[in-house]
Amino acid sequence: MTSKVFKLIAKEAHRQKYGLEMIPSENYVSENVLKALGSILTNKYSEGFPGRRYYGGNEVIDKIENYAQDLAKELFKVPIALVQSYSGSPANQAITMAVCKPGDVVMGLTLSSGGHLTHGAKLNFSSIFYKAVNYSVGDDWKINFEELETLAKKHKPKMIWVGTTAYPFKLDYKKFRKIADEVDATLVADISHITGLIIGGVHTSPVPYADIIMTTTHKTLRGPRGAMILVTERGLERDPEIKGKIERAIIPGIQGGPHNHQTAAIAVSLEEALKPSFKKYAIQVVNNAAVLAKELGTVSETHLILLSLTSYGYGMGYQAQYALEEAGITVNKNTIPGEPASPFYPSGIRLGTPALTTRGMKEKDMIKIARWIKRVLEEIRGLDLPKEQEQRKDFLNEAKARLNKNKNLKQIRKEIEDFAGKFPVPGVD
Ligand SMILES: Cc1ncc(COP(=O)(O)O)c(C=O)c1O
């Protein structure tokens, strides 16, 4: 008898094929990545690192992990690559443990400016066990380097994060390096969102500037969920012991046995990223985002768009995410810099082009998609978030019930299903 799970997977496959996946941190992996991920490698325990395992029977696993490390080193031109972190957050924890002692000062971009939880957000390990100091963006939504420099000089951080989750502009690593040097801090680039763009040459590489680099493997890189930690020549010079420190932070510091099926799938995705076709993909991701942003009345220099909805009303992010989902477009609500409403019911949405581009969509398709998005957003006008907190829950339930019945959204959903269904999805078609 087949598992009930496969019926649910089939439902999810339908959603992924007939909708428009626009969450900028998501992507579609290839059939080969799926094959490696679903392989018998999941059966094996391999605590330790290649050539230094706690368990026997790891001859093949060693070869796979060494191969993944070699591919990462080749792709990024770095001397050290580690591929065992289960995901981006534990990888960032491992880096922090390797570089800092508990209580040391760590600086990162604040969450509300597009930073990541692990870069010093309240309630995260990075501010529970370390002294987190956050810098932010200015009125132009760009990194405020003046503030960053002042804070760095005042707090003398051990480590500075440069990395973003909701930032539509290119990052100037050189400026970060200069400030890190002024206070003798380790500079860590978290390139999770933009790895693919860096590989494709459409975003500056942090390799000449950062000491350590972390990337998730499941976003623009188009691999399985996972992460890689890279040490640059500069980082190795700064601390020749850094590799062992990071390894010890991974295991026994944080993790147990590595996920070998994941390591193998990372290797497959790195093979794919080394091909010339990947460069074309990255260029198209950025071109698509630029067109989409322009059509929506904003700008993007990367793969993502942070769209303010203040012209549609007060606190419209939640309503927009819901209405777009009803129409078959998946995005996420997001705070905008200087958020005027609430972190839970924010004023913007975050959307991007990596997944759509993998399906083969181009600029002309972005124009169509922007039209659908604008038509959907018209349907939320008047659904402003109540200013009184106690009224919000009931109001949003009513708003959702109204959007569920909205005929225009149903019509748009039909149009989108017809459109999206024509673009293949690896592993589904
Ligand atoms: C910049 C950045 N760093 C780290 C992470 C954490 O990755 P994960 O969700 O795999 O733990 C993310 C994920 O959103 C991210 O965007």
Side-chain angles (χ1 to χ4, degrees):
M1 201 182 83
T2 184
S3 163
K4 183 178 167 186
V5 169
F6 293 111
K7 281 195 190 130
L8 294 172
I9 293 177
K11 273 196 169 171
E12 172 61 9
H14 186 276
R15 189 194 70 83
Q16 292 193 12
K17 178 166 166 96
Y18 290 96
L20 296 174
E21 193 52 74
M22 298 189 73
I23 292 177
S25 49
E26 294 186 10
N27 216 324
Y28 295 95
V29 301
S30 70
E31 299 267 4
N32 279 345
V33 169
L34 286 174
K35 219 190 263 178
L37 205 53
S39 71
I40 47 83
L41 296 173
T42 194
N43 298 338
K44 188 72 195 105
Y45 243 114
S46 321
E47 281 181 7
F49 291 91
R52 295 174 277 142
R53 306 283 187 185
Y54 192 73
Y55 296 87
N58 276 301
E59 198 187 326
V60 177
I61 300 298
D62 277 3
K63 288 198 167 81
I64 291 171
E65 190 168 335
N66 276 329
Y67 182 51
Q69 289 185 358
D70 289 345
L71 289 169
K73 287 190 263 185
E74 183 187 344
L75 192 56
F76 288 94
K77 310 272 181 300
V78 289
I80 295 166
L82 296 166
V83 295
Q84 274 194 26
S85 292
Y86 296 148
S87 215
S89 303
N92 282 350
Q93 193 179 357
I95 293 168
T96 313
M97 275 176 78
V99 175
C100 303
K101 290 192 299 297
D104 280 349
V105 177
V106 172
M107 279 185 71
L109 183 65
T110 189
L111 210 55
S112 57
S113 287
H116 190 257
L117 283 168
T118 53
H119 301 178
K122 212 172 141 191
L123 304 181
N124 186 264
F125 81 87
S126 53
S127 75
I128 295 172
F129 302 118
Y130 302 90
K131 184 173 183 299
V133 174
N134 291 149
Y135 56 92
S136 54
V137 296
D139 292 340
D140 58 357
W141 291 23
K142 293 188 176 172
I143 307 276
N144 182 345
F145 283 100
E146 235 172 79
E147 179 198 39
L148 170 56
E149 188 169 20
T150 308
L151 288 172
K153 283 183 174 161
K154 183 170 169 205
H155 296 281
K156 301 276 185 298
K158 194 80 190 286
M159 199 171 99
I160 299 177
W161 286 104
V162 44
T164 58
T165 63
Y167 190 73
F169 306 107
K170 289 189 168 143
L171 290 165
D172 188 342
Y173 294 114
K174 206 172 174 177
K175 284 192 182 163
F176 281 92
R177 179 76 253 170
K178 187 175 162 283
I179 295 171
D181 282 344
E182 280 168 10
V183 296
D184 193 26
T186 298
L187 185 66
V188 187
D190 178 345
I191 60 170
S192 294
H193 261 264
I194 53 174
T195 335
L197 311 193
I198 291 165
I199 294 166
V202 282
H203 190 294
T204 322
S205 168
V207 171
Y209 306 104
D211 299 297
I212 303 173
I213 298 170
M214 195 293 287
T215 179
T216 51
T217 45
H218 45 278
K219 299 187 176 88
T220 47
L221 179 59
R222 235 169 22 182
R225 311 200 80 78
M228 303 194 295
I229 299 173
L230 316 171
V231 178
T232 62
E233 294 287 357
R234 182 192 269 278
L236 194 54
E237 215 168 280
R238 183 180 175 82
D239 182 358
E241 310 292 317
I242 191 67
K243 182 173 180 234
K245 288 181 187 171
I246 298 173
E247 284 180 341
R248 282 191 294 280
I250 293 171
I251 173 168
I254 299 168
Q255 302 186 174
H259 295 175
N260 297 312
H261 55 304
Q262 184 183 33
T263 304
I266 288 174
V268 174
S269 66
L270 292 171
E271 285 177 334
E272 291 172 1
L274 277 158
K275 290 184 183 150
S277 55
F278 191 86
K279 212 170 202 151
K280 273 198 190 157
Y281 163 68
I283 294 168
Q284 192 64 53
V285 166
V286 170
N287 289 346
N288 281 350
V291 170
L292 187 64
K294 183 162 175 270
E295 294 295 311
L296 294 173
T298 182
V299 286
S300 170
E301 297 174 355
T302 63
H303 62 303
L304 75 76
I305 293 151
L306 186 59
L307 190 65
S308 166
L309 301 171
T310 49
S311 63
Y312 289 90
Y314 177 76
M316 301 304 262
Y318 183 97
Q319 301 87 310
Q321 177 184 316
Y322 193 83
L324 286 162
E325 189 161 353
E326 281 293 295
I329 300 175
T330 314
V331 304
N332 65 273
K333 62 183 185 299
N334 216 98
T335 52
I336 55 170
E339 178 56 54
S342 135
F344 301 105
Y345 302 110
S347 300
I349 50 171
R350 186 185 71 145
L351 57 163
T353 55
L356 299 183
T357 309
T358 294
R359 296 185 71 179
M361 295 181 197
K362 301 251 163 62
E363 288 86 343
K364 63 178 187 336
D365 304 307
M366 297 304 120
I367 293 170
K368 281 188 200 159
I369 292 167
R371 280 195 202 125
W372 279 314
I373 291 172
K374 285 190 277 190
R375 275 170 63 193
V376 171
L377 293 179
E378 286 307 316
E379 302 302 317
I380 61 167
R381 278 197 198 277
L383 296 177
D384 295 44
L385 185 73
K387 294 261 165 63
E388 306 298 328
Q389 277 197 21
E390 315 77 66
Q391 293 174 10
R392 286 178 180 171
K393 211 169 149 219
D394 286 345
F395 164 79
L396 288 169
N397 282 336
E398 275 168 37
K400 285 197 286 192
R402 259 168 71 181
L403 293 168
N404 281 338
K405 287 192 224 116
N406 184 306
K407 290 211 173 73
N408 292 339
L409 294 183
K410 286 193 198 325
Q411 170 59 29
I412 297 168
R413 186 180 191 104
K414 252 181 89 237
E415 292 169 21
I416 287 177
E417 281 179 355
D418 286 347
F419 169 80
K422 295 193 182 91
F423 293 87
V425 170
V428 175
D429 294 285

